[in-house]
Amino acid sequence: MFDIKPVSDVIGAEVSGADLAEVDDAAFDEIQLAWMEHCVLLFRDQKIDAGELVAFSKRFGELDIAPPNENGEGGFGGFSEVLVLSNVKENGKAIGALGNAEAQWHTDMNYLDKPPTGSVLLSVEVPDKGGDTGFSNMYRALEDLPSSIRQRVEGLKIKHDSSTNSGGYLREGAEPVTDVTTCPGAIHPIIRTHPETGRKALYLGRRRSAYIMGMSLEGSELLLDELWAHASQPKYAWHHQWRIGDVVIWDNRCSMHRRDSFDDSKRRIMHRTQIMGDRPF
Ligand code: OGA
Ligand code: MN
């Protein structure tokens, strides 16, 4: 029904010919299959509002209520499932989360016991340059992991700190981490199995304040640095330059993403939903 073309050798495909405001069961099945194959899908030139974004996202499963932004506010246009990401300020107050700064490689909300399966991001306003979003393939990163490292991480788990968001901002009510070995966090396997494809992927979450359970602090830091140096190699990534009306859906179970910084005098407004997930295994 659709034309589906990879956007890189390593991750992502563009789906042409889809109107996300009107996705029937057959169309959804094709989209779902392509998503499982490519981890990230791009749909261009969509004319959908927040309600249609929510309706499309719900085809993939129940949605989370959007987490609050740095001002403690969540939702958009009456839809509590929509998270606004933006640097735009109205009356001196940010209308969305994440500002204009770089967001380093991460998967969404890895610090929860049940992180979201995936996220759907719609571009509403974008700067003419900057603010690109990169996606990297964590199946590939695991397949290529040198066996010397793979043997050491097999069976190990990371404790994922929740005190800061991907922009490095301290979350509302969070205590800054002073000791990663004792701070609270969700504990997930470093090698996880994708529940739908059955394939194994590297699951790192985010580097800051991570800790590999059962290791000395020094041992954990060294191994995490090795894993991150491997996983963040450019060969695993594709970077998307946004146009208005783009919708991208990514799978947090087999990919990471990051965002470039952009000029704060330019406006960037994105609407995101997130699909409820299960405990990684
Ligand atoms: C996110 C995210 C990056 C972006 O929505 O989880 O990391 O490009 N967004 O805004
Ligand atoms: Mn994110």
Side-chain angles (χ1 to χ4, degrees):
M1 185 181 310
F2 304 126
D3 184 27
I4 298 168
K5 279 206 194 74
V7 289
S8 78
D9 289 342
V10 70
I11 193 167
E14 179 173 349
V15 181
S16 308
D19 176 359
L20 300 186
E22 287 178 39
V23 170
D24 62 17
D25 289 348
F28 176 72
D29 288 348
E30 193 174 334
I31 291 169
Q32 170 71 14
L33 269 180
W35 190 37
M36 290 305 100
E37 185 178 344
H38 299 283
C39 306
V40 178
L41 296 180
L42 164 64
F43 304 85
R44 299 206 105 138
D45 303 316
Q46 298 299 315
K47 293 182 181 62
I48 57 171
D49 59 21
E52 288 162 332
L53 174 67
V54 168
F56 170 65
S57 305
K58 276 187 177 162
R59 308 269 333 199
F60 295 90
E62 242 180 289
L63 304 184
D64 285 325
I65 299 303
N69 63 26
E70 290 93 12
N71 289 318
E73 289 162 356
F76 175 80
F79 294 96
S80 57
E81 301 95 335
V82 175
L83 171 69
V84 178
L85 296 163
S86 186
N87 64 318
V88 173
K89 291 194 177 73
E90 277 168 15
N91 306 319
K93 209 162 126 202
I95 63 165
L98 226 55
N100 73 314
E102 174 186 340
Q104 296 178 346
W105 286 115
H106 67 279
T107 59
D108 290 328
M109 306 182 88
N110 55 302
Y111 46 83
L112 300 181
D113 286 335
K114 295 181 172 182
T117 293
S119 305
V120 188
L121 191 60
L122 164 70
S123 63
V124 178
E125 276 188 60
V126 285
D128 51 2
K129 64 174 189 319
D132 296 359
T133 307
F135 299 92
S136 61
N137 187 327
M138 291 299 106
Y139 292 133
R140 276 294 176 89
L142 180 66
E143 279 159 23
D144 284 3
L145 193 65
S147 59
S148 58
I149 306 183
R150 175 124 187 193
Q151 279 160 15
R152 280 150 63 213
V153 301
E154 206 77 56
L156 293 183
K157 295 180 173 179
I158 291 177
K159 182 170 63 177
H160 298 263
D161 161 55
S162 64
S163 64
T164 54
N165 71 10
S166 48
Y169 299 98
L170 196 65
R171 286 178 210 285
E172 180 131 315
E175 289 291 322
V177 174
T178 50
D179 181 353
V180 296
T181 67
T182 57
C183 72
I187 297 168
H188 300 306
I190 298 178
I191 299 175
R192 69 180 294 183
T193 305
H194 194 295
E196 291 178 61
T197 65
R199 297 176 65 192
K200 287 182 193 291
L202 206 52
Y203 189 57
L204 300 181
R206 49 198 81 198
R207 176 63 185 90
R208 182 195 290 253
S209 303
Y211 170 63
I212 301 180
M213 298 298 286
M215 293 190 93
S216 68
L217 178 58
E218 298 71 31
S220 166
E221 289 290 305
L222 279 172
L223 188 47
L224 285 169
D225 284 344
E226 278 183 85
L227 286 167
W228 277 95
H230 172 76
S232 45
Q233 292 176 86
K235 65 180 176 187
Y236 301 124
W238 160 68
H239 295 265
H240 177 54
Q241 197 180 356
W242 294 91
R243 296 196 312 229
I244 291 173
D246 287 349
V247 171
V248 170
I249 174 166
W250 64 82
D251 189 334
N252 284 311
R253 301 165 294 186
C254 53
S255 68
M256 296 204 289
H257 57 278
R258 52 152 288 135
R259 184 190 77 188
D260 294 339
S261 62
F262 57 96
D263 182 346
D264 205 17
S265 68
K266 301 278 159 57
R267 292 164 64 92
R268 188 179 191 268
I269 303 177
M270 316 289 281
H271 289 173
R272 190 187 90 178
T273 58
Q274 58 187 65
I275 304 148
M276 228 179 242
D278 287 318
R279 184 180 280 278
F281 59 88

